Every structure is written in C-alpha cells, then in structure tokens.
Amino acid sequence: YSWVFNEFPSFVAEDSRRFISQETGNLYISKVQTSDVGSYICLVKNTVTNARVLSPPTPLTLRNDGIMGEYEPKIEVHFPYTVTAARGTTVKMECFALGK
C-alpha cells in the first residue's frame, strides 16, 4: 500500500507524524497541519503481477471551528496470535494509540 498526495507521483512519506499500515492500507496522520490539506489516493500494487489499483480521491480539510468531537482514548492492536520469523529478519507489529 502507498498513498499519493494531491497528484501522482507525489507519494506520502512515512515520518514521525505519518504511518501507512501494511496490514490494512490505512493512512494515519497525527497532529494534522495545514500542509496536510489536500487530496489523498490509495495505491495498491500486487507485487507478483505488478497490477495497480487506485482508490477515488479522498479530500482532507481542516475545520476552523475548533470542534474535533470526543473520542475516548483507546489502543488498537492487531497482532496475530503467533508470529513466526527467521532469525535476523525484521518483524513489524502494529499498535495505534488514538483519542482525546
């Protein structure tokens, strides 16, 4: 999974505020800033066939009324019951904390 920001080939780069889940394809942005405003398109690529599918654009806008809504704090964990890995390889387990 990858995400295009505003227009191809401007891809969203993961950093301390942006994360792309390779489990779900979801894009997570923390501490949204004015520079994040724009259109986002999800790109899914099949690594075997190299086929690609694009989602419709999803606009991100900022509210200027200061109302965010209330979200109870929670932690989302989607770990499989067992993770098997060869010694020396990298294992990535995703855990998200969100809320207000």
Side-chain angles (χ1 to χ4, degrees), residues 2-61:
S2 56
W3 284 82
V4 176
F5 177 60
N6 285 331
E7 60 185 55
F8 191 80
S10 178
F11 288 93
V12 174
E14 291 188 85
D15 57 24
S16 61
R17 293 189 319 107
R18 296 173 194 89
F19 175 76
I20 300 168
S21 169
Q22 292 305 305
E23 178 79 20
T24 64
N26 293 345
L27 169 63
Y28 296 89
I29 303 173
S30 64
K31 300 179 185 172
V32 174
Q33 301 173 357
T34 305
S35 60
D36 297 318
V37 171
S39 180
Y40 291 84
I41 297 172
C42 181
L43 171 77
V44 179
K45 180 181 175 185
N46 182 321
T47 56
V48 176
T49 65
N50 284 329
R52 296 176 183 210
V53 177
L54 296 171
S55 73
T58 301
L60 173 70
T61 58

Side-chain angles (χ1 to χ4, degrees), residues 19 21 28 74-79 92-98:
F19 175 76
S21 169
Y28 296 89
K74 66 179 181 174
I75 295 176
E76 293 186 2
V77 180
H78 301 287
F79 297 143
K92 186 174 185 178
M93 295 185 281
E94 300 176 350
C95 173
F96 304 100
L98 57 140

Side-chain angles (χ1 to χ4, degrees), residues 84-91:
T84 304
R87 183 181 308 171
T89 61
T90 300
V91 175

